[in-house]
Amino acid sequence: MRKVISRIVLSVAVATLVAFLFASMANAAGPYTITENTLYSAGGYYPPIQIYNPGCAGNYCRYLVQDNYPDTWRWAYTKPNMYQLWVYRPLVGQAAAKYWWLTYRYGTTKDSWFVTVDQSKNKGTWAYLGFADYVPNDKGELRLSEACVPGYWCGGLKVYWDNMKYNTSP
Amino acid sequence: MKKRDWIVSIISGITLGMLFVSSGAYSTVLAQKQTVVTGPLNQIIATALNSHTRWQTLQGEAEVTWYGSNEETQTYLMNFEISQPVKGRIETTSKETNGNDGIWISNGERIYDLRNADKTYVEGSIPAFAKDLSQLPLTIMDVRKDMPMPHPFAMFISSPLRDLIYPTEFIQSSELSSLRLIGEETILGRKVWVIVREDSSTDYSKVWVDKSTGIFLRYEQYMNGEKWMDLSFKSLEFNPAIHPSTFELPSGYRPASIP
């Protein structure tokens, strides 16, 4: 009897472990994080300046002071099949900024849209930027400029580049 | 364990895992759920989360004032027309003529951001999910505070007006226990709840929630203990007829080389 019970207990333990591993693998499509440590020009001359601040994800952000002459910088490209996208609003944020999301398939632009995020609101949370219309895709990218947005305060505020994260369509 | 036990255990585990993932239980377990609130706040939150279901078209005028350092202010007037699900036009004019004026237009297929200063515009698509409201939480129990879900069309509205018209992200992003009902007033002839949201001792917001639709009629934001923004409707009409030409791209603007 004791042997039977130990067999059952062991079988349940193995089944639970396998179930957990399966669920984890099925959700292994992210989210992946891309930091602002490596930014690339996408029509920008002045690179965003790095600062240390505990209010930034990972304690570091980059910024440019807003104006009407945009310097556009992008995060590193994502893996293929980028699906949903978020960007972190650091606790030090104050300006409204326009993010530009693109995906590519066979080198051609597929998704291309703009999402305005007011970095002064809901600070310390991830701003949702939506999900791709075109999956599969080769890669995706997120761009940001320090240009003023009509209707929001313009001039002298810092526009922050902080972590972005995304998942891929499984 | 015998070989048969191993096979049965592994197959059972895989079956359980598939059930766990397909039922959505995996992400539910990982999700950070909101604090449960009771009383009148519950009704206010539910009304705001569902506000987009209570009107079809909206037209009016709003004003926002931003308060900078050294008592400097910037004020913008916004004339707007919105037609759900994904059409809209907002014309923004700076009172100080600071050059940060523009027109935002969504014609249902494309979105145009026009800058009056240099008569240029940038153009973007409207993704399919902008019309998909299935992921939008309609009750407090659906809200995930770690990943607030904005109204999918509001994300593309390039104007502070969206915080009044689509208040769902404001509600979701707050710690619900930080919301306090402080009174009731009347604005533009409409009865409103006045609630305060405290993000910290120095950062907080005060909003006036329309009782019948959940739309915010006024929104004040304070940062570092100082007033940062005061946004309110000056006039507001629910469900007016809007002429289709309202959402057409006006002539005289050219595409910008770099957004």
Side-chain angles (χ1 to χ4, degrees):
Chain A
M1 184 65 184
R2 208 172 149 186
K3 208 172 175 182
V4 171
I5 291 172
S6 67
R7 272 175 66 190
I8 292 170
V9 168
L10 208 56
S11 298
V12 168
V14 169
T16 307
L17 187 67
V18 170
F20 176 76
L21 287 174
F22 183 89
S24 300
M25 282 191 305
N27 283 274
Y32 304 100
T33 300
I34 300 178
T35 73
E36 76 293 345
N37 291 331
T38 314
L39 294 176
Y40 300 87
S41 172
Y45 182 76
Y46 296 102
I49 300 153
Q50 187 181 51
I51 58 155
Y52 168 83
N53 191 298
C56 303
N59 294 329
Y60 288 94
C61 301
R62 289 177 184 270
Y63 75 88
L64 284 175
V65 176
Q66 62 180 183
D67 57 32
N68 277 317
Y69 305 96
D71 285 285
T72 306
W73 291 79
R74 68 168 173 84
W75 282 258
Y77 288 127
T78 69
K79 293 172 185 289
N81 301 326
M82 173 170 124
Y83 189 50
Q84 289 176 297
L85 179 63
W86 295 264
V87 71
Y88 190 73
R89 285 174 280 215
L91 293 176
V92 287
Q94 206 172 356
K98 196 176 287 181
Y99 293 79
W100 184 11
W101 179 10
L102 298 136
T103 63
Y104 301 90
R105 190 190 291 171
Y106 308 127
T108 305
T109 307
K110 301 305 284 185
D111 298 298
S112 173
W113 57 67
F114 298 89
V115 178
T116 297
V117 174
D118 185 345
Q119 296 184 345
S120 79
K121 293 188 172 64
N122 306 318
K123 289 187 277 191
T125 64
W126 290 93
Y128 184 57
L129 302 186
F131 56 90
D133 275 350
Y134 294 94
V135 179
N137 54 57
D138 305 330
K139 64 185 176 188
E141 67 167 287
L142 183 65
R143 300 180 180 185
L144 175 62
S145 83
E146 87 288 30
C148 290
V149 182
Y152 293 90
W153 179 278
C154 178
L157 299 182
K158 292 172 179 171
V159 173
Y160 287 97
W161 280 252
D162 204 335
N163 285 4
M164 61 166 271
K165 71 177 179 182
Y166 68 99
N167 61 21
T168 55
S169 182
Chain B
M1 286 209 328
K2 293 179 179 176
K3 190 179 174 185
R4 195 184 63 181
D5 296 337
W6 280 102
I7 292 169
V8 170
S9 302
I10 289 168
I11 290 173
S12 306
I14 290 172
T15 311
L16 273 173
M18 287 169 76
L19 282 172
F20 201 48
V21 171
S22 62
S23 66
Y26 189 84
S27 36
T28 305
V29 167
L30 295 180
Q32 289 180 35
K33 286 292 183 180
Q34 271 288 9
T35 322
V36 174
V37 291
T38 53
L41 267 179
N42 207 348
Q43 187 191 350
I44 298 167
I45 292 164
T47 309
L49 288 176
N50 289 274
S51 67
H52 58 280
T53 65
R54 315 230 166 146
W55 56 276
Q56 188 53 44
T57 60
L58 212 54
Q59 186 174 43
E61 188 183 38
E63 185 177 285
V64 61
T65 299
W66 302 92
Y67 297 84
S69 52
N70 303 323
E71 298 187 359
E72 188 188 352
T73 59
Q74 292 183 6
T75 300
Y76 298 91
L77 287 174
M78 294 164 286
N79 286 290
F80 65 92
E81 292 90 7
I82 303 287
S83 177
Q84 297 207 74
V86 289
K87 286 184 180 175
R89 184 183 196 278
I90 300 172
E91 182 161 3
T92 301
T93 312
S94 161
K95 269 193 171 177
E96 292 84 13
T97 59
N98 66 3
N100 193 28
D101 302 341
I103 307 173
W104 174 89
I105 298 171
S106 170
N107 66 9
E109 292 171 0
R110 309 288 294 171
I111 290 178
Y112 302 93
D113 256 323
L114 289 72
R115 283 174 48 85
N116 291 347
D118 53 6
K119 290 286 178 185
T120 62
Y121 68 85
V122 295
E123 180 181 355
S125 57
I126 302 176
F129 77 83
K131 297 178 188 173
D132 178 11
L133 305 181
S134 63
Q135 295 193 41
L136 206 53
L138 300 178
T139 70
I140 292 172
M141 297 309 291
D142 300 330
V143 171
R144 282 186 59 177
K145 66 181 176 187
D146 55 332
M147 283 193 195
M149 184 66 64
H151 185 284
F153 179 53
M155 290 166 52
F156 299 96
I157 298 178
S158 186
S159 166
L161 248 186
R162 67 179 183 186
D163 296 322
L164 296 181
I165 296 172
Y166 294 103
T168 180
E169 189 176 18
F170 175 93
I171 291 294
Q172 293 176 69
S173 302
S174 56
E175 191 69 53
L176 294 184
S177 55
S178 74
L179 297 175
R180 279 187 299 121
L181 173 63
I182 61 167
E184 298 184 8
E185 293 179 13
T186 301
I187 293 183
L188 297 174
R190 305 178 70 87
K191 290 184 177 173
V192 295
W193 291 294
V194 187
I195 60 172
V196 169
R197 164 180 143 183
E198 288 179 357
D199 297 324
S200 70
S201 57
T202 57
D203 287 11
Y204 55 97
S205 308
K206 190 174 173 185
V207 292
W208 286 255
V209 187
D210 182 32
K211 283 189 175 184
S212 62
T213 64
I215 279 177
F216 293 171
L217 298 188
R218 188 176 176 191
Y219 181 165
E220 284 181 353
Q221 184 185 0
Y222 294 80
M223 277 199 312
N224 303 318
E226 305 281 336
K227 188 188 260 192
W228 167 235
M229 181 203 75
D230 189 348
L231 168 66
S232 62
F233 287 115
K234 297 299 162 195
S235 66
L236 183 62
E237 189 181 353
F238 286 92
N239 299 319
I242 299 175
H243 196 276
S245 64
T246 303
F247 308 114
E248 289 173 3
L249 180 67
S251 58
Y253 291 82
R254 60 185 166 78
S257 51
I258 298 171

